[in-house]
């Protein structure tokens, strides 16, 4: 009588392509669950009416209690019980015995013995369990389907020098796509024009936007942030990396689990025992009273008392309570089978960003290469980034405020997509040493830049061997490095890092105490960043970096084939 399917394939489109219309065309699981909600409500209403009319005991109400000559409780038992009997027969023909059979026997026996209230109550409890399961599945389904809303349905194709908005399915390989700031990438392709930063966290888990220049590859479903790009389509529709991720989720959901519900496992064991006890009860009463009829009610009592209704109701109730608690903590579970499977896990694979790390950056290191102090370097960088929307801008502003810096304003700011920012700054905001070093009659303002190595080099700032050595060391330690320069003079470099969650180490310690033997880190971020996080958390081996979701799935499949039981934690 299980409403929740053995696999979660109903969660997904039949032929997932990563498009929104796939979701719109398939019936939402919520509407599929409506019939069981209505049936449960109807059975409950009939049972309650029969019970209340029986309490009143007014003769004029007897007709209401027995429409068409049959008790309301009997109608309730027949309406709800027909579903249970059908599913029981379906399972028996498939060679499976579960809790449904025990429910069916108890319900049919109660009806035959005219114990209609008992039959209706057994059916109602079972339906309540199904309804709770349906509600739980609906919550999980909505969370899972959110990942399929990332890929746009329309794209702007450049044809004969003009832009046309067309459905993604109508794009041909090799065509040019115009992409504006704030739009999601509709295809997998190659950047042919423009410079920007693309947020790939939904696909790779990288903690910072990735710079894109001509020749860089972009993936469907990722978010273009700052600059306009022209892309050449290479993979479309089901061939994109995003759609492959969708297909992986669909295939994983379609795999039937070997686990059974607790009620089913126990039913297979205790059902023969219950039937034997009921038979012995019947025979015992026959022997004691000399009549078979005297043993019918006691035998029915054995069947009803031993009926797995508490398990059928308690299991989904416990699952729903557990899933609600997990959801409040950002964890989505498909159902009871997934929770049961956790008991057998011996390997935990973690995503990095948002899982082991909190997605909040902090300033780790500031190295000066000109005649400035560390505080001056951070203050200048914070002034330059004051009006920037980049995630690292807030880090610099917070660091400057913590040092009590007074931030001036800029005359003009230019954001360089995929590079950083260039601002026009009054020279009086610079340290006195730099101000005195300026030539006599120099302009009242100068250009200050904060950005990556590529942008800084393109501005003509000298990067000597010592600077490159420091840069490589900081990258090796997992830092994201910002270069701060005034005109063509390098003032210094600043290293920031995603912060490891305070409870990450404690979580791993708790899992070890539960018997987990092995921990792995799977991330789309750089190898140096991944290694730094693993070292800070401690006890993680192996560390796999620069992985796409497909690569993470393959790693897990390889571990399973090697005999390990793996749990993946995170959105990777």
């Amino acid at each position: 009588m299980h409403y929740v399917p053995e696999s979660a394939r109903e969660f997904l489109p039949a032929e997932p392509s990563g498009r929104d219309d796939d979701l719109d065309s398939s019936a939402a699981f919520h509407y599929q669950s409506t019939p069981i909600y209505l049936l449960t409500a109807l059975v409950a209403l009939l049972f309650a009416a029969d019970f209340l009319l029986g309490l009143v005991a007014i003769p004029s109400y007897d007709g209401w209690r027995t429409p068409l000559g049959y008790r309301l409780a009997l109608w309730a038992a027949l309406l709800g019980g027909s579903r249970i009997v059908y599913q029981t027969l379906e399972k028996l023909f498939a060679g499976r015995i579960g809790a449904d059979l025990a429910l069916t026997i108890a319900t049919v026996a109660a009806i035959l013995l005219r114990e209609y209230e008992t039959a209706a109550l057994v059916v109602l409890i079972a339906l309540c369990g199904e309804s709770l399961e349906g509600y739980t599945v609906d919550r999980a389904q909505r969370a899972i389907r959110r990942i399929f809303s990332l890929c746009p349905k329309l794209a702007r194709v450049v044809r004969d020098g003009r832009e046309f908005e067309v459905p993604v399915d109508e794009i041909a390989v090799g065509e040019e796509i115009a992409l504006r700031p704030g739009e999601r990438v509709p295809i997998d392709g190659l950047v042919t024009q423009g410079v920007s930063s693309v947020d790939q966290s939904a696909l790779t888990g990288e903690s910072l936007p990735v710079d894109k220049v001509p020749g860089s590859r972009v993936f469907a479903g990722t978010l273009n942030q700052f600059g306009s790009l022209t892309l050449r389509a290479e993979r479309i529709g089901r061939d994109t990396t995003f759609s492959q991720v969708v297909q992986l989720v669909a295939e994983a959901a379609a795999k039937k689990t070997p686990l059974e519900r607790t009620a089913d496992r126990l039913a297979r064991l205790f059902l023969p025992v219950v039937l034997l006890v009921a038979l012995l009860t019947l025979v015992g009463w026959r022997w004691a009273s000399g009549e078979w009829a005297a043993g019918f009610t006691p035998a029915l009592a054995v069947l009803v008392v031993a009926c797995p209704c508490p398990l059928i109701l308690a299991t989904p109730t416990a699952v729903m309570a557990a899933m609600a608690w997990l959801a409040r903590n950002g964890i989505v579970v498909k159902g009871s089978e997934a929770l049961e499977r956790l008991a057998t896990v011996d390997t935990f694979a973690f995503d990095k960003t948002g899982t082991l790390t909190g997605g909040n950056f902090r300033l780790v290191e500031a190295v000066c290469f000109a005649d400035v102090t560390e505080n001056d370097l951070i203050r200048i960088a914070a002034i330059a980034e004051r009006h920037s929307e980049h995630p690292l801008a807030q880090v610099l502003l917070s660091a400057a405020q913590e040092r009590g810096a007074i931030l001036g304003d800029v005359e003009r700011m230019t954001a360089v997509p995929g590079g950083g920012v260039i601002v026009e700054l009054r020279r009086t905001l610079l340290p006195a040493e730099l101000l005195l070093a300026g030539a006599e009659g120099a302009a009242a303002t100068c250009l200050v830049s904060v950005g990556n190595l590529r942008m800084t080099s393109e501005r003509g700032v000298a990067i000597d061997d010592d600077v490159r050595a420091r840069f490589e060391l900081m990258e090796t330690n997992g830092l994201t490095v910002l270069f701060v320069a005034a005109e063509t003079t390098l003032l210094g470099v600043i290293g920031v890092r995603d912060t490891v969650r305070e409870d990450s180490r404690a979580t791993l310690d708790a899992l070890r105490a539960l018997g987990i033997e092995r921990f792995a880190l799977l991330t789309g971020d750089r190898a140096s960043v991944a290694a730094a996080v693993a070292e800070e958390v401690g006890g993680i081996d192996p560390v796999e970096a620069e992985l796409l979701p497909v690569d993470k799935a393959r790693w897990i499949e390889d571990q399973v084939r090697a005999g390990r039981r793996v749990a993946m934690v995170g959105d990777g």
Side-chain angles (χ1 to χ4, degrees):
M1 62 150 287
H2 305 313
Y3 176 70
V4 179
E6 290 185 14
S7 74
R9 56 187 177 274
E10 287 87 348
F11 289 173
L12 308 169
E15 295 181 357
S17 66
R19 292 182 50 199
D20 289 345
D21 54 355
D22 283 326
L23 305 182
D24 298 336
S25 62
S26 60
F29 207 99
H30 176 74
Y31 298 112
Q32 295 179 32
S33 64
T34 300
I36 191 63
Y37 298 155
L38 294 177
L39 180 60
T40 304
L42 180 59
V43 169
L45 183 62
L46 292 173
F47 176 75
D50 183 276
F51 178 75
L52 293 175
L53 288 172
L55 288 179
V56 173
I58 298 177
S60 59
Y61 288 171
D62 288 345
W64 290 95
R65 196 185 187 196
T66 56
L68 301 178
Y70 298 99
R71 289 267 302 277
L72 291 174
L74 176 59
W75 287 111
L78 292 175
L79 284 173
S82 60
R83 174 182 175 84
I84 299 173
V85 171
Y86 173 80
Q87 292 183 341
T88 300
L89 294 176
E90 188 179 40
K91 283 191 174 184
L92 286 176
F93 286 130
R96 291 181 296 171
I97 297 176
D100 314 70
L101 183 57
L103 287 170
T104 299
I105 293 173
T107 303
V108 172
I111 292 174
L112 293 176
L113 294 177
R114 299 179 179 274
E115 296 290 341
Y116 302 135
E117 298 93 336
T118 301
L121 184 59
V122 169
V123 168
L124 180 58
I125 292 174
L127 290 177
C128 286
E130 276 195 272
S131 296
L132 288 172
E133 287 179 328
Y135 176 76
T136 306
V137 169
D138 180 43
R139 288 170 60 95
Q141 174 229 11
R142 287 197 301 269
I144 291 172
R145 279 180 179 262
R146 290 193 191 106
I147 69 173
F148 303 122
S149 63
L150 297 178
C151 200
K153 294 186 286 187
L154 300 175
R156 279 188 295 277
V157 179
V158 180
R159 294 171 179 169
D160 299 325
R162 299 175 58 191
E163 292 184 9
F164 298 90
E165 197 169 70
V166 300
V168 173
D169 287 347
E170 296 179 11
I171 300 174
V173 173
E175 285 195 296
E176 288 192 337
I177 311 296
L179 191 68
R180 296 173 184 170
E183 294 181 339
R184 289 197 178 273
V185 180
I187 47 88
D188 284 4
L190 198 68
V191 178
T192 58
Q193 295 181 32
V195 179
S196 185
S197 295
V198 175
D199 181 358
Q200 300 183 164
S201 58
L203 194 64
T204 65
E206 290 173 277
S207 49
L208 285 174
V210 179
D211 298 340
K212 300 296 180 182
V213 297
S216 301
R217 278 190 160 73
V218 292
F219 303 100
T222 56
L223 179 64
N224 182 34
Q225 292 203 317
F226 304 116
S228 296
L229 297 174
T230 301
L231 316 175
R232 184 171 67 244
E234 293 184 330
R235 291 185 292 181
I236 300 163
R238 290 178 174 82
D239 296 328
T240 64
T241 302
F242 178 80
S243 289
Q244 291 174 16
V245 173
V246 174
Q247 186 62 38
L248 281 172
V249 177
E251 290 174 356
K255 292 178 181 176
K256 293 186 177 181
T257 173
L259 291 173
E260 296 177 280
R261 300 182 193 288
T262 302
D264 281 344
R265 289 200 304 270
L266 293 179
R268 186 173 300 165
L269 297 174
F270 68 59
L271 185 58
V273 176
V274 170
L275 293 177
L276 179 61
V277 172
L279 179 61
L280 293 176
T281 301
L282 180 62
V283 172
W285 277 89
R286 168 68 176 82
W287 179 78
S289 65
E291 297 181 358
W292 287 105
F296 289 160
T297 300
L300 174 61
V302 172
L303 293 175
V304 172
V305 170
C307 188
C309 285
L311 283 176
I312 289 172
L313 184 61
T315 300
T317 302
V319 169
M320 188 175 69
M323 291 179 66
W325 183 88
L326 291 169
R328 286 194 296 271
N329 289 273
I331 302 172
V332 177
V333 182
K334 285 195 299 184
S336 59
E337 292 170 347
L339 290 175
E340 285 188 60
R341 195 179 297 116
L342 278 175
T344 67
V345 167
D346 58 29
T347 301
F348 265 77
F350 288 93
D351 190 32
K352 182 182 72 68
T353 307
T355 304
L356 293 179
T357 65
N360 300 315
F361 290 83
R362 61 183 174 89
L363 192 150
V364 175
E365 187 175 1
V367 182
C368 301
F369 290 107
D371 198 4
V372 294
T373 66
E374 179 179 307
N375 286 346
D376 283 333
L377 179 66
I378 295 171
R379 180 178 62 85
I380 294 169
I383 294 173
E385 293 277 9
R386 189 172 186 177
H387 300 293
S388 172
E389 297 178 357
H390 196 279
L392 297 183
Q394 187 59 47
V395 178
L396 296 174
L397 289 170
S398 298
Q401 291 168 357
E402 289 173 2
R403 288 165 171 76
I406 299 176
L407 304 181
D409 209 346
V410 299
E411 301 294 323
R412 178 170 53 88
M413 185 189 88
T414 302
V416 180
V421 296
I422 301 174
V423 299
E424 189 176 341
L425 197 66
R426 293 194 306 275
R427 285 184 178 271
T428 53
L429 294 176
L430 298 176
E433 293 80 2
L434 288 177
L435 181 62
L436 293 174
E440 186 70 24
T445 62
C446 70
L447 295 180
V448 173
S449 63
V450 180
N452 57 24
L453 176 61
R454 177 182 56 79
M455 186 196 81
T456 305
S457 299
E458 289 175 353
R459 292 196 61 243
V461 178
I463 308 294
D464 60 25
D465 292 341
D466 290 340
V467 175
R468 289 188 181 276
R470 171 65 71 169
F471 167 71
E472 292 172 359
L473 177 61
M474 294 172 76
E475 278 216 321
T476 301
N477 291 332
L479 303 183
T480 297
V481 184
L482 300 174
F483 289 77
V484 184
E487 298 292 352
T488 58
T489 301
L490 180 66
L491 304 183
V493 293
I494 296 174
V496 299
R497 178 188 294 160
D498 195 0
T499 56
V500 172
R501 293 168 64 121
E502 295 180 358
D503 56 354
S504 291
R505 184 184 290 272
T507 299
L508 265 63
D509 290 340
L511 290 172
R512 288 191 190 94
L514 293 174
I516 305 301
E517 305 169 357
R518 192 167 179 244
F519 301 95
L521 176 59
L522 311 180
T523 179
D525 220 333
R526 292 173 293 143
S528 59
V529 175
V533 170
E535 182 179 356
E536 187 170 351
V537 175
I540 297 181
D541 184 43
V543 177
E544 303 288 341
E546 300 180 15
L547 301 181
L548 290 173
V550 174
D551 302 319
K552 297 178 183 179
R554 290 193 185 116
W555 186 91
I556 293 173
E557 289 172 358
D558 291 341
Q559 297 300 308
V560 172
R561 280 195 292 269
R564 292 195 171 273
R565 296 175 293 276
V566 185
M568 176 69 190
V569 183
D571 59 2

